[in-house]
Amino acid sequence: MDEPCRIAVRREGPFLVDGPVEITLEDGTTVRSDRFRVALCTCRRSRRFPWCDASHRRRVRE
């Protein structure tokens, strides 16, 4: 049996997914990363979406 995919959820950050991963985007295109762990953007501010580039850190808090 294969190991389950491990995803770490963070309150104000990306989802950390043990890789490699293949992701199907809303438009049907597929992106892949062979890295051992990837950060998936949850705030949609990333210029590299679906990969997180830490843009969520620059958010102004009220």
Side-chain angles (χ1 to χ4, degrees):
M1 180 186 291
D2 290 30
E3 290 291 318
C5 177
R6 184 177 307 235
I7 300 172
V9 179
R10 297 178 166 220
R11 178 181 281 259
E12 293 187 26
F15 287 169
L16 300 178
V17 182
D18 289 351
V21 298
E22 187 174 279
I23 299 170
T24 303
L25 302 175
E26 291 174 312
D27 65 1
T29 60
T30 301
V31 294
R32 179 176 172 83
S33 174
D34 292 322
R35 295 180 58 125
F36 69 96
R37 181 170 293 144
V38 295
L40 297 180
C41 177
T42 58
C43 69
R44 301 192 70 90
R45 291 184 182 99
S46 176
R47 291 186 179 131
R48 300 180 58 226
F49 186 82
W51 318 120
C52 179
D53 65 3
S55 293
H56 61 275
R57 292 183 188 159
R58 293 187 287 274
R59 180 177 68 170
V60 176
R61 296 183 187 216
E62 297 175 13

